[in-house]
Amino acid sequence: MKTIRFLGFWICLVIGLGLGAWSQRTPVSVPASAPATAFSADRAMTDVVAIAQKPHPTGSLEIAKVRDHLLARINGMDLEVSVRPGEGFLPYGKDGRALGVAAVQNLVGVLPGKDRELPAILVMSHYDSVHNSPGAADDATGTAAALEIARALKADGPHLRDVIFLFTDAEEAGLLGADAFFARDPMLARVGLVLNMEARGDAGRAAMFQTGPGNGALMSVFAREAKGPSANSMASTVYEKMPNDTDFTHAVRKGLPGLNLAFIDDQLAYHTPLARPDHLERGSLQHIGDQALPTIRALADAPALPAKTDNAIYSDVLGLFLISYPPVIGWVLLGLAAALIAFTAWRTITLGAASGWEIARGAAGLLLIASSAGLVLHLAGRALMIQDVQRYYGLLVRFDHLLWGAGILAVAAGLGVATAQARGAKRVIPCIVALALGGACSLAGGFDPIGLGLGVATCVFAALTLGFKTDALGAWIGGMIVLLVLATTAQVLAPGATVMLTWPLLVAAIGAALVIGVGGTRDKRVALALTLALCVLATLSTAQLSAWGAWTFAGVGLLEPAILALFAMLAAPALSPLAHDFAATRWAWRAAGVLAIAGIALIANAARLGGEPERPAITTALHVADLSTGKAWRVADQPRLDAWTKQALPDDGGSEPKKQALAPFWREPVWMSETRAAPVAAPQLTVDRAEDRLLVRLIPAPGAELVSIRLRPSAPLSAPRLNGRPITLAAEPGKWSNLTYHAPDPNGVTLSFTTTTAGKVEVAALEYHDGWPQLAKAPPAKPAELMAYGMSDKTAVLVRGGLSW
């Protein structure tokens, strides 16, 4: 018994973390020999390989090949196929002076149902990639999964209602294909529900991370049908407040119900050359199909689609099954937890096992765990200096080290607080350290009010918590009271967010009620059973929280590692009695110190600059030809030059790289090396005025993937039109306005405005082509530890014009 009490914390922690990691495993890929009605990742991989041979951004030659492949596959399944051309629009920024546009070609295949009048299910994915990425995960996986779902549905069809498979164009350019469909395509009137498939990495379990409005009844279907579901309502609630978007955003704006699925592990492959078919984890593809196919099949056979009801509270349990319930059940669970906590507190005080003041110190102690873990992790994030995409991807090279380092630091903070409580540590030194760490957050990146606030909060909570010894029951009950207040507040303001609060709270409350109700017995067998029950509850709580925490950290941890402080706080009540048993030993401070050192070492290793052959860092270099001056440059728009860019920029008779601006496209200084001009295909830019209309026309050179037209008038311009169609684009005197057009019409792009007074306008256009100029010296081959990113290895052609009237 003594050994169990001494090692219980570590046993539960290690097993819980192990179970949490186990729950994140992906399923085994189903072979191509599986029954025709099953989803097989091996079958779907054939399409992934065909689609993701090369980068295929909107407007490229490669996307035409992908489009042909998809049309052949849709036709081969005898679906009703159509190409739906159009234009998509996306305003950039809030001032109205920047607009993204694409000429898109969305593809549609319809699997007819028995009743063509019923609202259809729309299965959506996008078939374009970003520049310099084959896009095997994002979104060849979604596209291939949709084809495999169509094949499987046809094998046991016909189903009751139509299933429409929409493959959107220009998602990476700003959801422009989805905009064209949801804003202007008449087929939208047939859609009753949407399921979208995406990726933000190329490994890990696929999570259902976003729903449409009124998801209660739909979540019941998903919980019942999806195989090995992954979802929680906290993620969906938080995602609604974040700036990230997918094609599904347009469905939500239309008020359509639906589900959005994606996997997000190994984000070093997100939008990079690593996103190859051989790098994709097949289990991720299998998992997205395991969830999507049975759900779509059930919806396609349903006499009526799920009605809109109150949003559900839901979560998977260690990836095995999903629990979904309405907000009223959330109140019931909170009421049960409150009753258990009240019983525990009343009996504890009645028996004299803890005083009210001790419980109050326990409440402050849980807040101290949250603030101290948040402080050290926030300081680590400040030290990592993630201020640009180059640094962001640099940390993804060793992301697992960062995750484990941050997690170990959070455990160290929690154990340190528990030890200080159990020992009755003095307040002064912790308060001084907290303020010092809070101030240190401003040493990197300027004044940091968040870090300073965390430092002050930690100092206050330390003053309230420490100075007196707090036993296990006081810390336990006080911590649960804090969680109860937080969960109740969340239940009122955002019920979906309560799942990560209520479940750990209920587990801790059950354990506490068992201890206070059964504890004190002299029967060793009962005492052993009680201890084992506490260990099981603590282990399950830790496992579920570690699974939630790992997924959450993958989503936002690089930008704010302190997110793990939330999970340290949530895990503390269930682990509290075990942690206090260990904290009372002479090994506790040493263990907390060793954990802190290990966490710092892992984070420091993750922060090392440079890539590795299997996990390269990103780099950029492109050729810019200014035809108005006859000059050319090699440009790298990354903050720091690596050894390859230092060699590549001046490698064609160029000067040493230096930072300078090239208005209006690079108004902030970038690394530039003036180089030998080489012949390039020239776009034709004309600026004219017909009556009161200013006409800016650009005829792109053959092979142009996108063009950016910028103009700066000296007088007001109004009534903007693009190719004769009214658009929203502000043109203010003395300021640059920007139109970025993806997949421009070879016949030209015409931008026009009404002029009301005399004035003049400056115009510049930048056109991108794949590859370096044919007669330019190719840069040296990139080493294995580097990979191209963004618009690297392209040729940008700049032309200028103007007019006075």
Side-chain angles (χ1 to χ4, degrees), residues 386-406:
I386 308 174
Q387 296 180 336
D388 53 73
V389 70
Q390 185 183 26
R391 186 65 176 140
Y392 185 90
Y393 273 92
L395 288 170
L396 287 174
V397 171
R398 286 167 283 273
F399 175 79
D400 287 347
H401 293 186
L402 181 62
L403 170 60
W404 280 103

Side-chain angles (χ1 to χ4, degrees), residues 22-85:
W22 172 84
S23 73
Q24 296 305 295
R25 74 204 185 287
T26 57
V28 175
S29 176
V30 173
S33 58
T37 56
F39 185 97
S40 166
D42 284 6
R43 278 193 291 248
M45 277 302 298
T46 303
D47 287 309
V48 173
V49 171
I51 294 168
Q53 293 183 15
K54 294 180 180 179
H56 45 282
T58 296
S60 67
L61 296 176
E62 289 299 322
I63 201 170
K65 299 177 183 178
V66 172
R67 190 178 299 122
D68 290 343
H69 170 80
L70 292 177
L71 290 172
R73 290 283 284 117
I74 297 169
N75 273 313
M77 286 187 282
D78 292 326
L79 304 186
E80 297 173 357
V81 62
S82 60
V83 180
R84 312 187 76 82

Side-chain angles (χ1 to χ4, degrees), residues 293-544:
L293 173 58
T295 303
I296 294 167
R297 181 175 277 139
L299 293 168
D301 285 327
L305 293 177
K308 289 185 178 181
T309 58
D310 288 342
N311 283 342
I313 302 170
Y314 57 87
S315 176
D316 67 278
V317 178
L318 296 178
L320 300 174
F321 56 89
L322 189 134
I323 296 174
S324 176
Y325 50 87
V328 65
I329 301 299
W331 283 113
V332 171
L333 295 178
L334 280 176
L336 176 59
L340 291 172
I341 294 168
F343 165 74
T344 303
W346 167 76
R347 189 161 173 79
T348 297
I349 293 173
T350 300
L351 294 174
S355 66
W357 285 112
E358 202 167 359
I359 292 173
R361 290 199 300 273
L366 186 70
L367 295 172
L368 178 59
I369 289 174
S371 65
S372 58
L375 175 59
V376 296
L377 290 173
H378 182 73
L379 177 59
R382 297 286 290 183
L384 291 173
M385 295 287 289
I386 308 174
Q387 296 180 336
D388 53 73
V389 70
Q390 185 183 26
R391 186 65 176 140
Y392 185 90
Y393 273 92
L395 288 170
L396 287 174
V397 171
R398 286 167 283 273
F399 175 79
D400 287 347
H401 293 186
L402 181 62
L403 170 60
W404 280 103
I408 290 172
L409 267 184
V411 173
L415 182 58
V417 171
T419 302
Q421 286 180 292
R423 302 285 188 84
K426 295 181 179 180
R427 304 182 180 100
V428 177
I429 293 178
C431 288
I432 293 173
V433 170
L435 293 175
L437 293 178
C441 292
S442 296
L443 297 178
F447 176 66
D448 178 26
I450 295 176
L452 187 59
L454 283 170
V456 172
T458 301
C459 177
V460 171
F461 294 140
L464 294 173
T465 303
L466 305 180
F468 299 90
K469 184 177 179 180
T470 303
D471 287 332
L473 276 173
W476 201 356
I477 297 169
M480 289 189 296
I481 291 173
V482 170
L483 285 191
L484 180 62
V485 172
L486 293 176
T488 303
T489 303
Q491 186 73 33
V492 173
L493 300 178
T498 61
V499 66
M500 287 188 185
L501 297 168
T502 300
W503 290 16
L505 172 63
L506 193 56
V507 168
I510 291 171
L514 281 174
V515 167
I516 202 64
V518 182
T521 178
R522 295 185 178 182
D523 188 325
K524 292 184 178 180
R525 290 174 299 178
V526 174
L528 177 60
L530 181 59
T531 301
L532 291 177
L534 287 180
C535 287
V536 169
L537 291 172
T539 299
L540 291 177
S541 180
T542 302
Q544 186 66 65

Side-chain angles (χ1 to χ4, degrees), residues 141-216:
T141 290
T143 301
L147 293 172
E148 174 66 2
I149 289 168
R151 184 208 56 72
L153 290 175
K154 189 173 178 63
D156 66 353
H159 298 275
L160 186 58
R161 65 183 69 242
D162 287 3
V163 181
I164 301 171
F165 294 89
L166 170 64
F167 304 94
T168 62
D169 190 4
E171 190 272 351
E172 302 293 4
L175 320 180
L176 302 179
D179 174 72
F181 182 86
F182 286 96
R184 289 170 287 280
D185 197 311
M187 182 173 279
L188 177 66
R190 299 175 55 189
V191 175
L193 187 145
V194 180
L195 187 143
N196 186 56
M197 292 178 287
E198 258 287 4
R200 191 182 146 194
D202 71 351
R205 290 170 65 83
M208 197 291 294
F209 66 97
Q210 184 186 16
T211 71
N215 65 34

Side-chain angles (χ1 to χ4, degrees), residues 211-263:
T211 71
N215 65 34
L218 177 58
M219 283 308 304
S220 296
V221 176
F222 183 74
R224 182 177 66 248
E225 301 294 339
K227 181 180 178 182
S230 288
N232 75 73
S233 52
M234 169 72 93
S236 182
T237 301
V238 172
Y239 189 85
E240 292 176 2
K241 310 300 181 184
M242 296 178 67
N244 304 327
D245 287 313
T246 68
D247 280 343
F248 190 71
T249 301
H250 285 282
V252 173
R253 289 172 181 167
K254 287 293 182 180
L256 287 167
L259 306 170
N260 199 4
L261 292 90
F263 47 89

